[in-house]
Amino acid sequence: MTSLFEPITLRGLTIPNRVWMSPMCTYSATGGHPEDFHLAHYAARAAGGAGLVMVEATGVLADGRISPFDLGIWDDEHVASFARIAAAITAGGAVPAIQLAHAGRKASIGKPWLGGKPVAHADGGWDTLAPSATAFPGYPEPAAMTEKQIAGVVEAFAQAARRAHDAGFQVAEVHAAHGYLLHEFLSPLSNTRDDQYGGSLANRARLLLEVIDVVRAAWPADRPVLLRVSTTDWTEGGWTVEDTIQVTRWAREHGVDLVDASSGGLVPATIPDTRDYQTSIAARLRAEAGDVPVGAVGRITDAAWADELITTGQADVVLLGRALLDDPSWPNRAARELGAQPRFLEQYAYAVPR
Ligand SMILES: Cc1cc2nc3c(=O)[nH]c(=O)nc-3n(C[C@H](O)[C@H](O)[C@H](O)COP(=O)(O)O)c2cc1C
């Protein structure tokens, strides 16, 4: 029986445990560059015992950022500032990972703690792109992308992956969830194209698979590439778990090493108010999507339950979001609670009784 604090090996990389930090935007970057804040923020979660620390959604293009304050890696000049973050995570004993993203029609939004409204051009905002000219409710209408613009996004993911690897990240995650660009192509609610990128499921998944191919090609063969998906739009006529199972099978064939099972974000929707609203879908993917490792995420705050998700085979890893904002040492605390070894750095371990 595998437990939360056992390592997991994906390709040639062994990750010390199965409690990972979920990617979370902090809206604190300047020109895409991480700041001292990011260094302190990610280093603390690494030292707190997470096996893998995932740097938040990082724009592969400047206009692919959710906000003007998001991280971005669209230029070779970003490599050095990201290298500091990857090194700090590594020094804390965790595996450094980065989420590569394009925000599509949900780009150019302000900081959530200031209301999270669309940002005007005068305030540093920009026009948004999407598969079709259909707005997210309350946001400006995006322009439907040309095939040339689509090819540009694919190339941007390739270059971003190359830069992320140069910066020292060991794991790359393709962000295809939460109503951002790749999810917008997948869902029939936001993709009404009639070319090779719209219509059938295979056509709507075409961009995602092209992105996976170029990221995989830019990433070392012995290092993992992960995929974050929204498993459902929680809306009649939208993206479904069945669609996700099929696309997960294709993604696996294209070299994805783990599927990180989130949900929602494409349109406003009512989400079930249960603890396992999302982890139960991860369990379904693990059972029905073939031989692919699965990450469960969402409302995981309890160590015993997190362990149970692993020991009962519902997921291979858990990703924690808000619990790790609340307590950077959640993993080490959970290890103690479960009778496992906290992952103390040698600088602390000799001084603190276990
Ligand atoms: C402040 C905040 C920022 C987030 N930013 C991202 C992000 O950059 N990329 C992403 O895929 N999910 C993002 N999420 C979603 C989280 O990764 C996670 O899936 C979600 O919060 C559910 O997990 P939790 O209940 O443990 O917080 C964010 C969530 C929060 C709370």
Side-chain angles (χ1 to χ4, degrees), residues 226-229 244 248 251 256-261 285 292-296:
L226 318 183
L227 172 65
R228 174 162 274 201
V229 281
T244 307
T248 297
V256 160
D257 299 295
L258 180 142
V259 172
D260 170 5
L285 276 190
V292 62
V294 171

Side-chain angles (χ1 to χ4, degrees), residues 5 40 67 84 95 107 155 171 183 185 195 210 214 255 267 285:
F5 288 94
S67 83
R84 292 174 71 224
V95 168
E155 178 59 17
V171 175
H183 183 183
F185 270 84
D195 63 359
E210 287 179 359
V214 297
V267 286
L285 276 190

